[in-house]
Amino acid sequence: MASGSDRNPIIIGGLPSQVPDFDPEETQEWLDSLDAAVDERGRERARYLMLRLIERAREKRVAVPEMRSTDYVNTIPTRAEPFFPGNEEIERKILNATRWNAAVMVSRAQRPGIGVGGHIATFASSASLYDVGFNHFFRGKDEGDGGDQVFFQGHASPGIYARAYMLDRLSEQNLDGFRQEKSKAPYGLSSYPHPRLMPDFWEFPTVSMGLGPIGAIYQARMNRYMHARGIADTSKSHVWAFLGDGEMDEPESLGQLTIAAREGLDNLTFVVNCNLQRLDGPVRGNGKVIQELESVFRGAGWNVIKLIWDRSWDPLLAQDRDGILVNKMNTTPDGQFQTYATESGAYIRDHFFGDDQRLRAMVEGMTDDQILHLGRGGHDHRKIYAAFKAAVEHTGQPTVILAKTVKGWTLGPNFEGRNATHQMKKLTVDDLKRFRDRLHLPIPDKELESGAPPYYHPGRDSEEIQYMHDRRKGLGGYVPTRVLRARPLALPDDKTYATVKKGSGQQSIATTMAFVRLLKDLMRDKEIGRRFVLIAPDEYRTFGMDSFFPSAKIYNPLGQQYESVDRELLLAYKESPTGQMLHDGISEAGCTASLIAAGSAYATHGEPLIPVYVFYSMFGFQRTGDQFWQMADQLARGFVLGATAGRTTLTGEGLQHADGHSQLLASTNPGCVAYDPAFGFEIAHIVKDGLRRMYGPDSEDVFYYLTVYNEPIQHPAEPDDVDVDGILKGVYRFSAGTSGSIPAQILASGVAVPWAVEAQRILAEEWDVRADVWSATSWNELRREAVEVERHNLLHPEEEQRVPYVTRKFSGAQGPFVAVSDWMRSVPDQIARWVPGPYQSLGADGFGFADTRGAARRFFHIDAQSVVLAVLTELAKEGKVDRSALKQAIDRYQLLDVASADPGAAGGDA
């Protein structure tokens, strides 16, 4: 690993501005030499000399400005290419068979009556890139560690399946079950890399474009984090991310490049498959995407390797004394190169080489067919090997390989380089014959002319298959493979939860702080304390977690190389190479990527981590919801804390910070167990059960979402007869009504429970209503259980019909039900159909705004007095109170006047 100073230079180069010239005569001599080179040998020769000087300056460790882009040629010159250790002829045969099976699999999935689609052009362009990786670089897990982590490009999945078929990891039944996961079970294959659907095969879901790149960056970082903290030896693990050039338009693809460079993640390689096409057409038809990406990655501090031309260009480039060929390469736009990929050799001779006599002379001795087969570097095993080897041997920086390919390569003229090739799924008989011939496969015409085209396997004892097995054995096992080696954790006993269960006494604290107090006790546990990974997007102080700074410290691989401005304070900001806290800057996407990498470490490296990601609740499921789906797909575990939750609780922040819907968004994620707790003792039971479900002996592939608030309240101690089962299932009676003769029920969650208790008091004292207050810790879990009960009843009519938990829980409750929360009504409305009685919900529907808590709650009519009105309204419908009471209540509590409301508690950022 490179030293800190080499990995993180503060100044990477630049032109002098205020530096005085102490020897102007010497300076003038250098300038005169350059002028003479230009005048006597021309600008191209002078340019070449300047480039060589820059190259030599870097060799001598002289700081010179970084060039934004270099010539449109391979970064690694022919003379510097290493020996290729493989058998290229055998590897070509393997790749040909893999190409065929991938394309046939997708084509067969289009057979009549199925028609489930698929993509073949992406893998066709990147097949050689994967093949070299499989044969020479990707490490498996058989040595007991995590091996390499490979993020496969989602649309290339058919090729990965085809290779697994060659190795007897998948059967023909599996291939014919592509995209038929249920109807062909247990042989069905998922459309893309989906670990949840194929948990023994895929490790990383990548097809939601942009999430693969950011996921790979933070996976590489998590590997370093785990190693630095002594949790797992990840020193041999290398992270590979195979990406599309069109995919690089996604903000997440490029948005976090600098963290990889800043932390010197030389355990990370991006391989960008630059086939110059998006899904519908050119990426940069009028430009050059490789040059653009080179500039972006260089500017971010990455090592850039361009892999543009195959070996057939080497003799031509060797002749290019005047630089005319390189200039032509530099100035030809991508759209024109795509046209060349679809045209004849004669067309290329006339249009690429034909406008300059020197270019025409270079190819005079070549036939049109030879010109046609001047290829791209991403299809040349030797060039690819050189690039991959240089990447894994480079130190101090992450590496990106920009590999130029042709989309649909080898699939024939109807596919190669065509704008529509991404959407083309079926090969005609003529396409199949041309494809077979190009791949030199021994498949007779008759097998192509009737029925579905056959798969091809050279035989289990063939030299190709033995070669494949030998290569994988030498590299530590098959890839991709997901392995579970983690053992259940020894979880804390009840003593750890005792403090938070006692309540807050006379002190008022927010539920965020209650959780932080519990977390502090959990992190002291000898068994699991060090496995907690704290994650926040630059808001630890907002959430009252700055108390962790001195002890847990903030992870920084370079340590703290400055004196902290608050170093004299008790809660000083402290960074450390072994820090436990990930302070990922103002990037929820980056934090969520850290969460996923940590939450899946139990599978990736066989060592469980317990991530705790705390963030402004508005910026979770709304801003990074796609990543939470990725988290569920990757079977990651951990705790997600939507802090400063609620539409009206985060006073003064306004519309874009007012979260009244993340619980609803969380309900859409099947892997998410969501709670909205009101008190510390509820949090204690939820967290304890979450640890059991995610890290205990019968671990489940779920993650927990808790919404916590920043409004200080007094937390009661846990009741002696606390209904733990009700807390965990989603609802329990918190406070039974003790006075009043007219029964009613109030359901509330989170910060709304105190409003419900106040409404209970008012109803009893002023309206003779005896209301029970129920704490609905999880509307989502109540609905989920009820839906599952209905599904069972639908399919098992002959059995005794089950009753949802929420229905059973309220079976003895009298009177109407009024539900209230700081969420939009759709959140409590999730359970309406199963509540055995009249049901009305109150909620904060609409946009939030900045005001006092009291004014906001009066505006949305969710405060205690509004709850009173809602209960009276429902009772009036039943004839249990006179309707005149409703107008009396509105006037008495001034419910139409927002300004009349008690402003409520102020402050309480945490």
Side-chain angles (χ1 to χ4, degrees):
M1 189 183 298
S3 67
S5 59
D6 290 337
R7 285 168 44 205
N8 192 32
I10 295 175
I11 298 174
I12 303 178
L15 293 170
S17 54
Q18 301 297 315
V19 178
D21 188 348
F22 292 108
D23 194 342
E25 290 185 7
E26 182 184 31
T27 303
Q28 191 59 49
E29 290 177 6
W30 280 89
L31 295 176
D32 290 343
S33 296
L34 176 60
D35 291 343
V38 174
D39 295 340
E40 297 174 15
R41 302 297 299 278
R43 290 187 177 87
E44 287 300 324
R45 177 60 180 167
R47 179 179 182 276
Y48 176 79
L49 292 172
M50 288 300 299
L51 292 174
R52 290 303 305 271
L53 283 172
I54 292 172
E55 182 181 51
R56 180 54 58 88
R58 288 182 180 146
E59 291 173 359
K60 298 292 186 181
R61 301 182 67 80
V62 176
V64 292
E66 289 285 336
M67 291 180 294
R68 290 184 63 241
S69 65
T70 58
D71 283 331
Y72 200 64
V73 294
N74 295 342
T75 300
I76 301 173
T78 305
R79 66 178 183 278
E81 290 176 9
F83 169 74
F84 179 70
N87 185 318
E88 195 167 5
E89 177 61 22
I90 293 179
E91 292 189 16
R92 183 187 63 79
K93 292 180 180 180
I94 292 169
L95 184 56
N96 287 350
T98 305
R99 286 182 182 277
W100 175 266
N101 290 327
V104 165
M105 180 180 69
V106 174
S107 186
R108 286 168 69 114
Q110 287 299 104
R111 61 193 181 273
I114 303 296
V116 292
H119 300 282
I120 57 178
T122 294
F123 176 71
S125 64
S126 57
S128 296
L129 300 170
Y130 287 117
D131 206 50
V132 172
F134 279 120
N135 288 331
H136 302 285
F137 292 96
F138 303 158
R139 291 181 59 252
K141 299 175 180 288
D142 287 357
E143 294 178 8
D145 61 8
D148 285 355
Q149 289 79 57
V150 185
F151 289 70
F152 294 96
Q153 193 176 358
H155 290 119
S157 62
I160 312 306
Y161 290 141
R163 191 171 225 277
Y165 162 69
M166 299 273 284
L167 289 166
D168 280 339
R169 299 184 65 204
L170 297 175
S171 66
E172 285 195 17
Q173 276 184 292
N174 289 126
L175 299 193
D176 276 345
F178 178 58
R179 292 193 170 195
Q180 301 150 76
E181 299 167 52
K182 301 300 183 184
S183 61
K184 291 294 191 293
Y187 301 103
L189 297 181
S190 64
S191 52
Y192 302 122
H194 289 308
R196 182 168 286 274
L197 301 176
M198 295 180 64
D200 298 326
F201 193 85
W202 296 114
E203 282 197 280
F204 307 104
T206 54
V207 81
S208 187
M209 288 187 280
L211 301 191
I214 193 172
I217 289 172
Y218 282 86
Q219 181 63 58
R221 185 191 191 216
M222 185 57 59
N223 289 358
R224 287 281 168 82
Y225 171 90
M226 295 181 71
H227 190 81
R229 294 195 52 229
I231 293 173
D233 182 0
T234 63
S235 58
K236 295 180 181 179
S237 292
H238 197 89
V239 178
W240 301 84
F242 287 80
L243 316 167
D245 47 357
E247 182 178 8
M248 305 314 287
D249 287 341
E250 290 283 5
E252 294 87 353
S253 295
L254 301 176
Q256 291 294 291
L257 296 183
T258 53
I259 189 173
R262 187 166 63 249
E263 298 195 5
L265 299 181
D266 48 21
N267 60 338
L268 171 65
T269 297
F270 276 16
V271 182
V272 183
N273 175 27
C274 298
N275 57 38
L276 314 186
Q277 288 186 233
R278 293 194 184 102
L279 306 186
D280 286 334
V283 178
R284 300 287 186 271
N286 292 324
K288 299 180 81 64
V289 69
I290 288 178
Q291 301 299 86
E292 179 184 320
L293 291 175
E294 179 185 23
S295 298
V296 170
F297 278 93
R298 282 186 183 276
W302 286 52
N303 175 46
V304 179
I305 298 175
K306 292 198 295 192
L307 174 58
I308 299 179
W309 307 115
D310 74 7
R311 71 192 77 173
S312 63
W313 287 91
D314 290 346
L316 299 180
L317 288 165
Q319 301 175 43
D320 191 26
R321 297 180 180 277
D322 298 323
I324 189 66
L325 177 57
V326 171
N327 182 65
K328 184 68 175 178
M329 293 171 168
N330 287 342
T331 56
T332 302
D334 284 354
Q336 191 61 42
F337 275 123
Q338 289 304 81
T339 298
Y340 293 141
T342 65
E343 288 289 347
S344 65
Y347 179 94
I348 298 170
R349 185 192 299 274
D350 291 342
H351 291 79
F352 185 80
F353 294 101
D355 58 359
D356 188 287
Q357 176 56 40
R358 291 167 294 180
L359 286 175
R360 291 195 299 271
M362 283 186 183
V363 295
E364 279 180 350
M366 297 178 66
T367 66
D368 288 348
D369 189 63
Q370 288 174 321
I371 292 175
L372 179 64
H373 288 93
L374 288 170
R376 300 184 180 183
H379 304 306
D380 187 325
H381 277 205
R382 291 179 183 271
K383 301 287 187 183
I384 296 169
Y385 178 85
F388 282 19
K389 189 171 189 292
V392 297
E393 292 179 352
H394 185 79
T395 59
Q397 293 172 289
T399 293
V400 60
I401 297 171
L402 304 173
K404 188 175 182 179
T405 64
V406 176
K407 195 160 188 175
W409 182 242
T410 72
L411 292 175
N414 293 330
F415 285 79
E416 290 179 0
R418 303 292 177 182
N419 282 342
T421 189
H422 185 80
Q423 306 301 335
M424 298 168 68
K425 314 172 192 311
K426 191 168 179 64
L427 294 149
T428 67
V429 172
D430 288 341
D431 290 332
L432 287 166
K433 289 180 178 179
R434 281 191 294 265
F435 189 32
R436 173 206 58 191
D437 293 343
R438 187 158 182 183
L439 300 178
H440 307 287
L441 297 177
I443 302 173
D445 284 352
K446 64 181 181 180
E447 293 190 30
L448 304 179
E449 293 169 347
S450 60
Y455 297 112
Y456 173 73
H457 196 292
R460 289 174 175 78
D461 297 327
S462 65
E463 62 176 352
E464 297 98 309
I465 301 304
Q466 292 306 310
Y467 184 91
M468 294 174 74
H469 285 297
D470 289 345
R471 294 309 306 141
R472 291 317 311 161
K473 182 178 180 181
L475 288 166
Y478 299 104
V479 175
T481 299
R482 185 175 178 274
V483 179
L484 294 183
R485 285 194 286 256
R487 291 172 294 180
L489 297 179
L491 300 177
D493 57 25
D494 289 342
K495 295 178 183 177
T496 305
Y497 303 91
T499 299
V500 74
K501 288 182 179 181
K502 291 178 181 177
S504 62
Q506 296 303 308
Q507 182 185 11
S508 292
I509 64 171
T511 47
T512 301
M513 186 53 64
F515 178 87
V516 170
R517 289 183 176 181
L518 173 60
L519 179 61
K520 187 173 291 186
D521 289 338
L522 288 169
M523 289 176 64
R524 292 192 181 108
D525 184 83
K526 293 181 180 180
E527 296 295 329
I528 68 168
R530 72 188 188 102
R531 295 186 181 273
F532 281 94
V533 181
L534 275 57
I535 306 166
D538 201 38
E539 290 160 343
Y540 278 118
R541 284 193 174 89
T542 299
F543 307 132
M545 299 178 70
D546 44 341
S547 60
F548 290 95
F549 288 164
S551 54
K553 298 183 178 64
I554 297 152
Y555 172 72
N556 187 329
L558 303 175
Q560 188 163 316
Q561 300 176 1
Y562 61 92
E563 284 190 325
S564 173
V565 67
D566 60 359
R567 62 190 180 279
E568 302 298 332
L569 300 180
L570 181 63
L571 303 183
Y573 191 88
K574 292 187 179 180
E575 300 178 64
S576 168
T578 59
Q580 194 165 357
M581 307 172 74
L582 294 178
H583 208 319
D584 281 349
I586 306 175
S587 172
E588 284 83 7
C591 290
T592 311
S594 287
L595 164 72
I596 296 169
S600 53
Y602 73 95
T604 308
H605 293 292
E607 290 289 347
L609 295 177
I610 309 172
V612 177
Y613 171 33
V614 191
F615 54 92
Y616 267 60
S617 63
M618 186 69 160
F619 304 143
F621 277 87
Q622 175 166 307
R623 179 172 290 184
T624 57
D626 197 10
Q627 286 178 282
F628 286 123
W629 273 94
Q630 182 188 26
M631 181 178 186
D633 195 348
Q634 199 163 316
L635 289 76
R637 304 165 184 170
F639 292 96
V640 178
L641 272 292
T644 60
R647 186 79 85 202
T648 68
T649 305
L650 187 59
T651 57
E653 292 289 346
L655 185 152
Q656 291 190 3
H657 286 66
D659 172 25
H661 52 278
S662 72
Q663 279 285 344
L664 194 64
L665 297 175
S667 73
T668 67
N669 190 315
C672 176
V673 180
Y675 285 93
D676 188 33
F679 305 117
F681 69 85
E682 294 178 0
I683 293 173
H685 287 291
I686 291 166
V687 170
K688 180 181 178 182
D689 195 56
L691 288 171
R692 177 192 63 82
R693 288 183 64 181
M694 294 186 288
Y695 300 96
D698 300 313
S699 57
E700 301 175 47
D701 297 319
V702 296
F703 67 95
Y704 271 54
Y705 178 54
L706 278 67
T707 42
V708 289
Y709 300 81
N710 75 325
E711 182 173 3
I713 62 170
Q714 288 186 2
H715 289 243
E718 177 181 281
D720 292 336
D721 59 347
V722 63
D723 181 2
V724 176
D725 188 58
I727 291 175
L728 299 180
K729 283 188 166 63
V731 69
Y732 71 101
R733 186 162 60 186
F734 171 71
S735 173
T738 57
S739 61
S741 62
I742 307 171
Q745 310 298 323
I746 304 174
L747 285 63
S749 70
V751 75
V753 173
W755 319 339
V757 172
E758 174 65 6
Q760 179 189 50
R761 181 191 66 78
I762 296 172
L763 285 165
E765 294 178 359
E766 302 181 23
W767 303 98
D768 191 31
V769 175
R770 186 183 72 255
D772 292 344
V773 173
W774 300 75
S775 177
T777 54
S778 181
W779 310 99
N780 296 358
E781 287 300 291
L782 290 173
R783 177 188 182 277
R784 185 172 287 171
E785 189 270 348
V787 168
E788 182 55 35
V789 166
E790 286 198 345
R791 180 177 182 273
H792 178 273
N793 291 343
L794 177 69
L795 300 175
H796 301 85
E798 75 286 357
E799 296 181 6
E800 181 180 353
Q801 297 293 278
R802 299 177 181 177
V803 179
Y805 177 83
V806 62
T807 306
R808 289 185 278 119
K809 198 69 175 175
F810 293 135
S811 62
Q814 299 179 35
F817 294 79
V818 172
V820 62
S821 74
D822 208 8
W823 306 99
M824 58 193 301
R825 294 184 183 203
S826 299
V827 175
D829 281 352
Q830 292 181 94
I831 67 168
R833 61 181 293 185
W834 297 289
V835 174
Y839 186 87
Q840 181 186 154
S841 65
L842 303 178
D845 287 72
F847 290 114
F849 51 87
D851 212 313
T852 66
R853 292 184 176 118
R857 289 162 186 169
R858 177 61 52 85
F859 174 83
F860 286 115
H861 298 297
I862 55 176
D863 58 356
Q865 291 76 14
S866 298
V867 174
V868 169
L869 176 62
V871 171
L872 294 175
T873 300
E874 291 302 308
L875 290 171
K877 291 178 182 178
E878 297 180 357
K880 295 180 179 179
V881 301
D882 193 276
R883 287 195 63 82
S884 62
L886 307 184
K887 184 66 167 62
Q888 292 176 36
I890 292 172
D891 293 340
R892 181 183 301 179
Y893 307 128
Q894 298 178 276
L895 293 181
L896 300 180
D897 182 7
V898 171
S900 69
D902 184 333
D909 282 344

